Amino acid sequence: MNLRFTEEQEMMRKMVQDFAEKEVAPFVERMEAGEFPKSILQKMGELGLMGIPIPEEYGGSGMDFTSYIIAIEEISKVSATLGVILSVHTSVGTNPILYFGTEEQKQKYIPKLASGEYLGAFCLTEPSAGSDAASLKTRAVKQGGDYILNGSKVFITNGGEADTYIVFASTNPNAGSKGITAFIVDKNTPGLVIGKNEHKMGLNGSKTVQLTFEDMRVPLENRLGAEGEGFKIALANLDVGRIGIAAQALGIAGAALEASTAYAQERKQFGKPIAMHQGVGFKLADMATAVEASKLLIYRAAHLRQNGEKCGKEASMAKLFASKTGVDVTTEAIQVFGGYGYTKDYPVERYFRDAKVTEIYEGTSEIQRIVISKHL
Ligand code: CAA
């Protein structure tokens, strides 16, 4: 494994850093007030950021997977809200169609998703099926040339704003995980009801909604993969999605580390910068080490993925470690800032609120441990 990024990957990092600084940073306050960043997503589409690893033949940027992970890391340093929107849109909103769709489905949806004209969402979780995703209750019953879907979903990132929803429903409840089937649902499908947008602790500019399917008719041509193949489609794409969420956590932790290091050199107590006190200096050293270790796990998982190798265990390890790093480093960042860190005058309290969910969505830390231990 080469531990140096290529010139192309470094260019992606620089481009996203510039974009985040010029376009995203001035918008952060509006996202914090709850505004969905539609105009920013449009600009990201123009720059090719909404389809980074999607092949050019389907309208994507045709770049490697590592470049995509770099983009999530850099965007998340400035806005974790945008980080999750981008990650969900690409990893679990677009990739399932790319890897499991028919040629017609790919031609119909991918160019629009990759250009940012469409936004994607992924609908697996239900009120009583979170970690135990295979116990989902949404039913899909075949009727003529269509399926009729009934059920409800919760915590759907991009819900209400998305143009396409990858929906998982049971076509055979007696078959457990082998009875689950995936569908591509267009936003204007009658019977698709957008419910409450959750008031969250962080990621204030992203949408997290409840969805209800009321006799929602989905044509056969929108079934994704074969009947019963849905659970495999969900988990295979989550393997990859988890590297994206790990990169989001890394971005947040990196931002908290940078802010803390700068502040500790500026802020003086007992006659010297607080960084020169061992209590603070050692904190910064531990934070930097955890960030670096996360980086290595994440880019190793990305490297495997990019080379078409299995990466489920490595993706789960990266997410487990990076999300814990996100929470630990942002907690310590507030400690370095002291009372100021607890106020909204500094960004570290936002980093802290944004980091926590990375230990929860796309599989909790406990689920990552299940995945890793099964591999062992
Ligand atoms: N790729 C492909 N197939 C897989 C797989 C993978 N990574 N992992 C398991 N499978 C297959 C298995 O091979 C098995 O099929 P066979 O019997 O034919 O071998 C089938 O799926 C069932 O596997 P398990 O018996 O291991 O399944 P399980 O019911 O015990 O669940 C689990 C395993 C790991 C706990 C899984 O349910 C899981 O990952 N749960 C967490 C769900 C999750 O991550 N939800 C996130 C929601 S999306 C989200 O958060 C997005 C957002 O908006 C931010």
Side-chain angles (χ1 to χ4, degrees):
M1 175 179 165
N2 190 346
L3 290 175
R4 274 184 203 288
F5 292 110
T6 63
E7 206 175 308
E8 204 184 25
Q9 289 162 353
E10 291 292 5
M11 275 165 61
M12 167 62 83
R13 191 179 291 281
K14 180 81 181 66
M15 190 261 272
V16 179
Q17 278 171 347
D18 288 347
F19 172 74
E21 193 184 312
K22 285 197 195 93
E23 306 282 351
V24 180
F27 208 88
V28 165
E29 225 168 278
R30 286 168 64 176
M31 288 189 271
E32 273 301 281
E35 185 174 334
F36 187 78
K38 226 175 196 145
S39 59
I40 303 283
L41 290 171
Q42 196 182 332
K43 287 179 188 160
M44 285 169 65
E46 285 159 16
L47 288 173
L49 296 177
M50 300 304 279
I52 299 169
I54 308 300
E56 285 174 85
E57 61 174 305
Y58 294 113
S61 298
M63 297 185 77
D64 60 24
F65 186 77
T66 298
S67 298
Y68 161 64
I69 292 301
I70 288 172
I72 295 180
E73 181 192 347
E74 290 302 329
I75 281 278
S76 302
K77 268 190 186 163
V78 177
S79 167
T81 280
L82 271 171
V84 72
I85 295 172
L86 175 61
S87 182
V88 167
H89 164 80
T90 313
S91 304
V92 289
T94 306
N95 276 349
I97 305 176
L98 183 63
Y99 292 111
F100 294 92
T102 61
E103 194 49 43
E104 286 78 29
Q105 289 170 340
K106 291 186 207 181
Q107 295 291 351
K108 183 173 174 192
Y109 291 105
I110 303 222
K112 289 188 168 126
L113 287 159
S115 67
E117 182 186 339
Y118 276 12
L119 187 66
F122 179 83
C123 311
L124 180 66
T125 303
E126 298 187 356
S128 59
S131 291
D132 184 8
S135 69
L136 60 79
K137 302 257 180 325
T138 294
R139 279 285 276 135
V141 177
K142 204 160 179 199
Q143 201 180 80
D146 298 330
Y147 287 88
I148 309 296
L149 271 70
N150 280 287
S152 56
K153 299 284 176 181
V154 289
F155 303 131
I156 304 306
T157 302
N158 296 343
E161 299 290 343
D163 299 277
T164 55
Y165 297 81
I166 309 293
V167 172
F168 297 88
S170 180
T171 41
N172 181 0
N174 297 325
S177 68
K178 291 194 169 42
I180 295 172
T181 303
F183 299 89
I184 308 167
V185 176
D186 291 295
K187 72 168 172 190
N188 292 324
T189 307
L192 171 61
V193 181
I194 310 291
K196 179 181 160 224
N197 179 34
E198 304 293 346
H199 281 281
K200 305 186 295 293
M201 175 178 173
L203 302 182
N204 290 347
S206 80
K207 289 281 163 68
T208 308
V209 309
Q210 299 181 4
L211 296 182
T212 314
F213 312 128
E214 295 174 0
D215 289 329
M216 181 174 75
R217 192 174 283 272
V218 180
L220 178 62
E221 71 217 38
N222 276 36
R223 190 184 72 204
L224 185 61
E227 273 196 18
E229 211 187 357
F231 199 58
K232 194 179 87 188
I233 294 175
L235 292 188
N237 286 288
L238 278 169
D239 277 351
V240 180
R242 286 165 182 163
I243 308 175
I245 298 303
Q248 183 203 21
L250 172 63
I252 302 168
L257 173 65
E258 274 173 31
S260 306
T261 308
Y263 183 77
Q265 290 172 82
E266 241 169 58
R267 169 80 171 165
K268 289 199 176 82
Q269 289 291 276
F270 303 103
K272 56 184 179 186
I274 58 171
M276 302 307 286
H277 293 290
Q278 197 180 65
V280 176
F282 277 17
K283 233 185 243 316
L284 293 171
D286 287 344
M287 290 158 75
T289 305
V291 166
E292 198 61 31
S294 301
K295 209 175 272 181
L296 291 169
L297 280 171
I298 289 168
Y299 286 104
R300 171 170 153 71
H303 180 80
L304 291 174
R305 163 73 194 170
Q306 185 164 304
N307 290 314
E309 292 176 53
K310 287 208 163 108
C311 65
K313 180 182 73 179
E314 290 77 9
S316 284
M317 285 177 165
K319 182 178 183 289
L320 175 65
F321 193 86
S323 60
K324 178 163 172 26
T325 297
V327 171
D328 290 350
V329 167
T330 56
T331 305
E332 290 294 50
I334 294 180
Q335 199 67 19
V336 170
F337 275 77
Y340 294 109
Y342 198 66
T343 72
K344 293 202 182 272
D345 294 343
Y346 290 89
V348 285
E349 65 82 33
R350 169 167 62 90
Y351 301 152
F352 173 79
R353 289 184 289 103
D354 286 350
K356 181 58 202 172
V357 74
T358 65
E359 290 189 316
I360 299 172
Y361 58 25
E362 297 210 11
T364 62
S365 295
E366 293 73 18
I367 289 296
Q368 305 313 321
R369 289 185 174 95
I370 289 177
V371 173
I372 296 162
S373 61
K374 275 189 179 175
H375 277 282
L376 297 179

